[in-house]
Amino acid sequence: MTSDSPSAQPPADGPRAAVRRRAVLGAAAAVPVLAALTTTASAAQTAPTAPAAPDAAKKRGKQSRLQAGGDLGPNVIVFDPSTPGIQAKLDEVFARQEADQFGPGRYQFFFKPGTYHGLNAQLGFYTSISGLGLSPDDTTINGDVTVDAGWFDGNATQNFWRSAENLALVPVNGTNRWAVAQAAPFRRMHIRGGLNLAPAGYGWASGGYIADSRIDGVVGPYSQQQWYTRDSSVGGWTNAVWNMVFSGVEGAPAQSFPEPPYTTLARTPISREKPFLYLDGAGYRVFLPALRRDARGVTWGSGTPRGTSLPLDRFYVAKPGDSAATLNQALGQGLNLLLTPGIYHIDQPIRVNRAGTVVLGLGYATLIPDNGATALQVADVDGVRLAGFLVDAGPVNSRTLVEIGPNGASRDHSADPITVQDVFIRIGGAGPGKATTSMVINARHTIVDHTWIWRADHGEGVGWETNRCDYGVVVNGHDVLATGLFVEHFNKYDVQWNGERGRTIFFQNEKAYDAPNQAAIQNGPLKGYAAYKVGDRVTTHEGWGMGSYCYYNVNPTIVQHHGFAAPNRPGVRFHHLLVVSLSGNGQYECVINDTGAPTSGTNTVPSKVVSYP
């Protein structure tokens, strides 16, 4: 995602897509569719005192048993309704994070159950806000949780890496604004009013993701080019630009792709909500929602949600500066990991070998593998839950950044799958970073529920070879489900899917902007690598609501043969595909294989295929 590419402008009369993507700073706004923390420590509350630093003990020649639980650290800020200066604290963090796209700041706000009045929590980069109840309605803010794009002249296409979870909001003016792009989940929220997904002025926007949420009023995406909503309830939906996908959403618009481009599945085949921290009396616990099949609507609508919970003393509460050896020692002791906000440099993989292990990040805790290490590896075991953290590639090439199951994994995990939720991967942008493959999924039945895997197109350390990464996601395991798959800008295949019976509900992609010439992307006899490639031997695969865009701004003469490639077999099926050439910077010849009309000219108009084959 970059400030140099075109984006979507909603026309004044509805959902027709006179669109551009990722505008240059200072470009005209889209046509409107409608007429250093300074507060004292007493303002924030944290958990009890932390144990002694384990790495210091090891330097003295001892490996003491790690203590579990403890303090959540200085960047986890906990409020209750009586806390003084809440708005000032929110404002000061926002002032630090509003435009700090690649900085080191990481923050998590927690609100204890109760009612809060007159707040506007503006969220900048690497900032998460959450309630601490079992239900969103346990924590009500009479006010707003706002994401806007004033820092970027009204362009919301770079509003990445922020989140809201487990709160009820009563918006001041009846509608809450949540103008985000990728890696900005909106989970387990109850909006007692409407939700506006566009920035003030209705400028360019590119997102996003909603799950397990109830919006009593109408959701207005306006200039949002694409969006995925899962297992939720909405009071209405106003329009679509390119690609709006719903699964298990009460109140969703009827399926109508290609015009308007709504893809609507009545139910989500398998889902399990993200783990979350909550208060049980005076103690913290982590709730682990139960697996659902043929899911529809929210999990928390009637009584206590289904699932189990773990006390905080079953977790090692990690702090920035903890080594990979310490994190692995904690896992070896049978503890789970709670990664508090900050940046963790690791020189070996975090190895998750025990069934049912939870690795939960707060405030976009970030893992950076040094010396070409893999950041995280999961064994071929049941029920591992990875959630809520960012992996940032290091300057030495890593063969793989995240590995779900070892090569050749074959165990049946259908009763208790591994889940990967709000786990984001970045190559470059914050500095030089390299990898060969970002994420490899070998374990069967894995659920990937909302990820953004991004080879950076702007920031520091960016260039065709500078932040090279050939593959975004490689799926070798069978029976894998992806709900909300965002993968962009890789040098070869963004997604390569070799496993049988794979399914993807919603896919968003941009091909790499910075290819220097046609030869650089040549794939044997084909012009370019598909954004989403199903292996030639696969016999069964299915996808719904999938889009790929090209913006070859370095060399606009480049031609991409297709966005999607798959064997032509009855069991390999796709529904509602599109490709878009952004302002004519490169072109697609087809949509999938040799099917679908080419893009042409400088008009940013999608070429669509309703079903394949």
Side-chain angles (χ1 to χ4, degrees), residues 74 186 199 241 245 249 287 312 338 351 383 465 485 493 506 534 580:
F186 197 79
V241 177
V245 179
V249 178
F287 192 79
L312 194 62
L338 186 70
R351 295 182 175 90
E465 296 295 342
L485 186 60
Y493 291 123
F506 183 89
V534 179
V580 181

Side-chain angles (χ1 to χ4, degrees), residues 181-211:
Q182 285 72 13
F186 197 79
R187 288 185 181 270
R188 212 177 159 72
M189 297 288 287
H190 185 187
I191 308 301
R192 299 174 190 165
L195 187 63
N196 185 338
L197 303 179
Y202 299 89
W204 295 297
S206 176
Y209 175 91
I210 294 171

Side-chain angles (χ1 to χ4, degrees), residues 5 16 76 89 99 103 120 126 149 218 322 338 353 355 406 410 418 429 464 489 491-492 495 499 506 518 548 570 602:
S5 68
R16 289 178 294 118
V76 174
K89 180 74 75 173
N120 181 18
Y126 314 110
V218 173
D322 279 341
L338 186 70
N353 296 323
S410 59
I418 297 168
W464 183 249
H489 304 156
N491 295 77
K492 292 185 178 179
V495 174
F506 183 89
Q518 189 74 44
S548 177
T602 58

